[in-house]
Amino acid sequence: MPGMVLFGRRWAIASDDLVFPGFLELFLRVLWWIGILTLYVMYRGKLDCPGGALLSSYLTVLLVLLAVIICTVLAIVCVSMRGTICNPGPRKSMAKLLYIRLALFLPEMVWASLGASWIAHSVHCDKAVVNGIIATVIVSWIIIVSTVVTIVIVFDPLGGKMAPYSSAAPNHLDSQESSQLLNGLKTAATSVWETRIKFLCCCIGKDDHTRVAFSSMAELFSTYFSDTDLVPSDIAAGLTLLHQQQDSIRNNQEPEERISHSPGSSQEADLDAELENCHHYMQFAAAAYGWPLYIYRNPFTGLCRIGGDCCRSRTADYDLVGGDQLNCHFGSILQTTGLQYGDFVHISFHDKVYELPFLVALDHRKESVVVAVRGTMSLQDILTDLSAESETLDLECEVQDCSAHKGISQAARYVYRRLINDGILSQAFSLAPEYRLVIVGHSLGAGAAALLSIMLRKSHPHVRCYAYSPPRGLLRLSVTTLEDLKKRILRVIAHCNKPKYKILLYGCWYELFGGDPDNFPTELDGGDQRDLTQPLLGEQSLLTHGSPAYSFSSDSPLESPSKYPPLYPPGRIIHLEEEGTSGRFSCYTAQYTAKWSHESEFNKILIGPKMLTDHMPDILMRALDSVVADRPACVSCQAHGGAHVDMV
């Protein structure tokens, strides 16, 4: 639901978010109260020492104060459990209860301070009593400090602007006022996000590219978040519901609906050949990550294998540029690719915003010059990822009116300049003039590799590109799909008839142990509607008024702002899909199938427990190992290249 309004400002917490923290505080307070009561009953006869009367008064008043606090917290928990996310009516008394609870902190702080002072004057009393009271004072201050930290966390810098905005009914604002308020809110949000990003990335240099990336990220985040009135727990509940909804739809599908057509023998042969190539060139895409990925994939033996190279001083024909521990990187590259020292033409671990590390090597097995671009592995790469506005491409070819992700486009241009202007490709083809050019990359590197291939098409007509999990690939990630995800979260939240704490509890159980998604309906039943004490706020209530990006009458994906047009995965797509589910706590070995897919199958983000880990290069390598091992050997198969860019 919309964030709570306290002290005239909106906070990043809702009235139904206090169930779990309330239970935790209630548990600690009750244990504390029982302990103090036990201490008082057992030792009240031993408080005839100097200052003992003060300690007795301290314990008595503390017992009463804790009892009042426990009752207040219990009331907060009970009220927070009522209603649903979009039906806050049963929780309308929450603000008053929170004011009472916050007011009780003042006597608690005063009493804790007095307790600390009185203990100093009662050192001659029974040691057990003194130690017990010292413990109560410490616990008091721990809870007080924890509460202050929590208040800082849920503080919304834009709360002062959003509180009157959220409370304004739609019919109280005309379209011009609404537009002005929304624009003002977005401007303030952009400033806040830019400050946050600069703070988180304070260790990165402040060159022109970095400043542009900061502004681009701030505008992206403000555009995405400023037109909704959701708190973080609402988003978590929405993702949980979406995952169960997706599983329910998948379980209810007819088997024939999942198969569009039976692939022909030529398609299967082509798929076998390309899978073998994908499996082979993935080693180069993984090698571009250097020693961190290699150690991660080989935690017990990796360091031993490349440890000698890390400490060895060696001169070689290859060119290493930028970064530290270059010998460690090179040792891991040799281990991953199986190539020799002389097979590498150039290796760069120079890493800045819009400037990605890459390597160039001679692959004698496939008779190709391989350019491998590294994916995301640093804060600079994340800034490149999140520079998401579109940029027009001037490709000097027959492709016209093209646009691409700005960060990826800039990274591709950087690698292109290095390859051409520094003569790296010329050097490679002077060593192997009959070889063909192959460009590979994973994740961010895959997007850059795809654009780089198009840029090099004029001079290398037979260039091939293998883009592994590119943007809008396995993660299905783009601004358009994120907008669609936001719309689906709003819809599933608005149509859910369960309180948030039940959604989150069941969701945790479902993610860990599985279950039947149909046991947790997300649509309102007629009987439940009659029980509501206040009409549902609905989807529009979860948006700041006047947001033009939404049309709730359609199930189609949202239209992106002009700066973020729809983007598409490059080239032909091979989709690796896990068969069945691997279970949450099992030793199940995942099995995968491979098929040709169309980009339209990736226009929505799917929610699942492995949606992030499946994007990792080591998981992709494992999946390719499994698929290639289960298919007929096709080492000698070579896909025929035409006079166009082949991208897989």
Side-chain angles (χ1 to χ4, degrees):
M1 66 163 292
M4 282 193 300
V5 176
L6 296 172
F7 304 106
R9 66 177 302 117
R10 178 192 181 274
W11 297 77
I13 190 171
S15 59
D16 54 356
D17 283 339
L18 303 174
V19 177
F20 300 119
F23 266 121
L24 177 60
E25 183 178 359
L26 203 59
F27 175 75
L28 295 176
R29 295 279 186 181
V30 169
L31 285 182
W32 185 11
W33 188 86
I34 293 174
I36 294 174
L37 179 62
T38 303
L39 181 68
Y40 180 74
V41 171
M42 291 180 61
Y43 293 97
R44 62 181 176 178
K46 300 181 180 181
L47 294 176
D48 53 355
C49 55
L54 292 177
L55 296 184
S56 178
S57 300
Y58 173 79
L59 292 176
T60 303
V61 174
L62 186 58
L63 284 170
V64 175
L65 182 59
L66 281 178
V68 174
I69 292 175
I70 288 172
C71 292
T72 306
V73 174
L74 182 60
I76 290 174
V77 171
C78 291
V79 171
S80 186
M81 296 172 71
R82 298 175 183 172
T84 63
I85 295 176
C86 286
N87 178 33
R91 302 189 297 272
K92 60 185 178 182
S93 60
M94 180 61 73
K96 296 178 181 177
L97 289 173
L98 286 177
Y99 286 137
I100 295 173
R101 176 66 190 92
L102 291 173
L104 289 173
F105 274 110
L106 180 59
E108 187 176 12
M109 292 175 63
V110 171
W111 209 242
S113 301
L114 288 175
S117 174
W118 290 345
I119 288 174
H121 297 86
S122 308
V123 293
H124 300 293
C125 293
D126 187 277
K127 200 169 187 64
V129 178
V130 173
N131 291 337
I133 295 178
I134 290 175
T136 63
V137 172
I138 292 174
V139 172
S140 294
W141 282 108
I142 289 176
I143 292 179
I144 292 169
V145 171
S146 300
T147 303
V148 172
V149 171
T150 302
I151 291 174
V152 171
I153 292 174
V154 301
F155 177 80
D156 186 353
L158 299 174
K161 297 178 180 292
M162 294 185 69
Y165 187 50
S166 300
S167 61
N171 56 356
H172 291 168
L173 295 172
D174 58 31
S175 59
Q176 185 175 1
E177 278 185 294
S178 176
S179 178
Q180 290 175 349
L181 284 171
L182 186 60
N183 290 335
L185 183 60
K186 286 185 176 180
T187 301
T190 300
S191 176
V192 169
W193 276 109
E194 187 163 359
T195 302
R196 289 170 175 170
I197 293 166
K198 288 179 178 178
F199 175 77
L200 292 174
C201 303
C202 58
C203 58
I204 298 179
K206 300 299 187 294
D207 57 20
D208 291 340
H209 283 170
T210 304
R211 284 189 286 270
V212 170
F214 284 163
S215 299
S216 178
M217 285 177 61
E219 188 168 354
L220 172 65
F221 287 156
S222 63
T223 299
Y224 188 72
F225 290 108
S226 65
D227 60 352
T228 60
D229 198 3
L230 298 174
V231 298
S233 60
D234 293 336
I235 298 174
L239 293 174
T240 295
L241 291 172
L242 280 180
H243 183 208
Q244 296 165 40
Q245 186 182 73
Q246 289 168 185
D247 287 353
S248 177
I249 294 172
R250 187 183 300 113
N251 293 343
N252 293 328
Q253 277 184 337
E254 296 294 332
E256 58 269 20
E257 293 178 355
R258 302 184 185 182
I259 303 175
S260 57
H261 64 278
S262 299
S265 58
S266 60
Q267 285 182 308
E268 281 294 304
D270 187 31
L271 180 60
D272 287 336
E274 291 298 358
L275 277 173
E276 198 275 335
N277 286 331
C278 287
H279 181 257
H280 174 77
Y281 287 115
M282 182 60 201
Q283 311 300 320
F284 292 88
Y289 282 95
W291 66 264
L293 178 62
Y294 184 79
I295 297 296
Y296 176 77
R297 292 183 60 218
N298 304 276
F300 301 109
T301 61
L303 190 59
C304 296
R305 292 178 182 176
I306 67 173
D309 288 316
C310 293
C311 304
R312 188 178 305 164
S313 176
R314 178 188 290 113
T315 58
D317 295 333
Y318 58 85
D319 180 18
L320 289 173
V321 179
D324 298 322
Q325 297 178 312
L326 296 177
N327 287 330
C328 288
H329 282 308
F330 195 67
S332 67
I333 292 172
L334 293 176
Q335 291 288 338
T336 302
T337 61
L339 300 183
Q340 304 298 318
Y341 292 99
D343 296 331
F344 288 88
V345 178
H346 183 89
I347 300 176
S348 170
F349 280 93
H350 169 80
D351 189 13
K352 292 180 66 177
V353 178
Y354 302 154
E355 299 177 2
L356 299 179
F358 67 97
L359 62 87
V360 180
L362 302 178
D363 178 18
H364 302 297
R365 178 184 169 191
K366 293 288 186 178
E367 296 186 348
S368 58
V369 174
V370 181
V371 178
V373 186
R374 197 188 77 182
T376 304
M377 206 177 72
S378 67
L379 278 176
Q380 291 92 330
D381 300 335
I382 293 174
L383 290 174
T384 302
D385 275 314
L386 294 176
S387 296
E389 68 261 32
S390 63
E391 179 178 81
T392 302
L393 294 178
D394 182 12
L395 299 176
E396 298 183 355
C397 63
E398 66 271 17
V399 182
Q400 301 296 328
D401 300 325
C402 290
S403 60
H405 179 289
K406 177 180 178 178
I408 296 176
S409 173
Q410 291 289 327
R413 293 181 190 278
Y414 163 75
V415 179
Y416 177 85
R417 290 193 298 268
R418 294 291 312 279
L419 292 176
I420 301 302
N421 297 345
D422 294 356
I424 297 172
L425 278 187
S426 299
Q427 180 184 355
F429 282 105
S430 68
L431 298 174
E434 72 283 4
Y435 283 12
R436 70 179 303 171
L437 178 62
V438 176
I439 302 178
V440 303
H442 171 265
S443 187
L444 171 62
L451 294 182
L452 179 62
S453 302
I454 300 174
M455 294 174 183
L456 290 169
R457 173 183 175 182
K458 186 175 182 180
S459 56
H460 299 273
H462 299 287
V463 60
R464 292 181 65 83
C465 176
Y466 290 89
Y468 302 91
S469 302
R472 282 295 316 273
L474 184 62
L475 278 182
R476 305 160 183 263
L477 192 61
S478 71
V479 175
T480 306
T481 56
L482 283 174
E483 287 286 345
D484 174 70
L485 177 64
K486 181 167 64 176
K487 177 181 178 180
R488 290 189 287 138
I489 288 176
L490 293 174
R491 177 166 296 165
V492 75
I493 287 176
H495 292 174
C496 184
N497 63 345
K498 302 292 183 183
K500 189 190 297 182
Y501 79 94
K502 286 187 178 180
I503 297 173
L504 296 175
L505 280 176
Y506 185 87
C508 289
W509 179 273
Y510 185 81
E511 297 298 335
L512 293 174
F513 305 105
D516 184 1
D518 294 327
N519 288 339
F520 202 75
T522 60
E523 297 299 322
L524 283 168
D525 301 325
D528 292 325
Q529 290 182 12
R530 291 192 296 270
D531 294 337
L532 296 177
T533 60
Q534 174 178 315
L536 279 180
L537 295 174
E539 295 168 71
Q540 290 289 354
S541 69
L542 301 175
L543 297 169
T544 53
H545 177 67
S547 177
Y550 292 85
S551 173
F552 292 103
S553 61
S554 172
D555 288 329
S556 61
L558 300 175
E559 294 184 2
S560 296
S562 57
K563 291 190 68 176
Y564 309 102
L567 302 177
Y568 303 94
R572 297 184 297 163
I573 300 172
I574 295 178
H575 185 199
L576 302 183
E577 190 172 9
E578 186 176 349
E579 293 181 329
T581 57
S582 60
R584 277 73 174 176
F585 295 109
S586 68
C587 297
Y588 173 85
T589 302
Q591 298 295 320
Y592 298 87
T593 57
K595 65 175 183 178
W596 291 110
S597 295
H598 189 264
E599 64 86 18
S600 60
E601 299 180 37
F602 302 88
N603 61 4
K604 285 189 176 182
I605 295 176
L606 299 182
I607 308 301
K610 299 195 293 185
M611 61 183 296
L612 296 179
T613 56
D614 279 352
H615 185 70
M616 298 298 290
D618 61 307
I619 301 296
L620 181 56
M621 294 178 76
R622 193 182 310 159
L624 285 169
D625 289 341
S626 172
V627 169
V628 171
D630 292 340
R631 298 181 74 90
C634 195
V635 175
S636 61
C637 297
Q638 295 290 336
H640 300 289
H644 61 278
V645 181
D646 290 325
M647 285 184 284
V648 179

